[in-house]
Amino acid sequence: MQSDLRMQLQIARTTQFGDTMKTALYGLIALAGLAAFAPEGAGIALGVVAVTAAACGILGGGAAHDDISALRDDMAEATGGSSYGRLAKARNLAVLKALSAVLLSASALAILATLILL
């Protein structure tokens, strides 16, 4: 793969990951606010939407992380040997992927707990 194309793909997937996380987090924040003041019958609908938002964030973010990792591994030797390349290859993207999934899941579970307890 040409270096320019690989870099364009990496920038695009990194941007998509950020957009996915922002959308999921803002959606969960809005749902948390709604859950606190939801009328009696809205709990199931809000719970389903919270689980859906978390699942979209986890799956979309995970796919973006997998692509970013693959593109990082395909880095040309000249770029991989540079200071940037060594730093990029040293980052533990698996931990970031797992941490994102755990935090989104915890947010959805907190919303569900709020809906159940209120």
Side-chain angles (χ1 to χ4, degrees):
M1 178 182 297
Q2 293 178 355
S3 180
D4 292 342
L5 177 60
R6 189 192 57 73
M7 206 57 182
Q8 287 175 349
L9 289 171
Q10 186 157 358
I11 290 168
R13 289 304 278 161
T14 303
T15 301
Q16 288 172 347
F17 170 75
D19 292 344
T20 300
M21 288 296 113
K22 281 188 272 188
T23 302
L25 287 173
Y26 290 153
L28 288 170
I29 289 168
L31 287 168
L34 289 172
F37 303 107
E40 185 102 9
I44 293 174
L46 289 175
V48 169
V49 174
V51 170
T52 302
C56 288
I58 291 166
L59 296 174
H65 269 281
D66 293 341
D67 291 347
I68 292 167
S69 294
L71 289 166
R72 181 187 64 179
D73 294 340
D74 284 344
M75 192 180 298
E77 289 183 29
T79 306
S82 68
S83 295
Y84 165 76
R86 287 191 301 272
L87 182 64
K89 287 185 176 190
R91 290 192 177 113
N92 193 347
L93 293 179
V95 170
L96 181 57
K97 179 180 176 181
L99 188 60
S100 298
V102 167
L103 292 175
L104 287 173
S105 298
S107 298
L109 287 174
I111 292 169
L112 291 174
T114 300
L115 292 169
I116 291 170
L117 296 175
L118 291 180

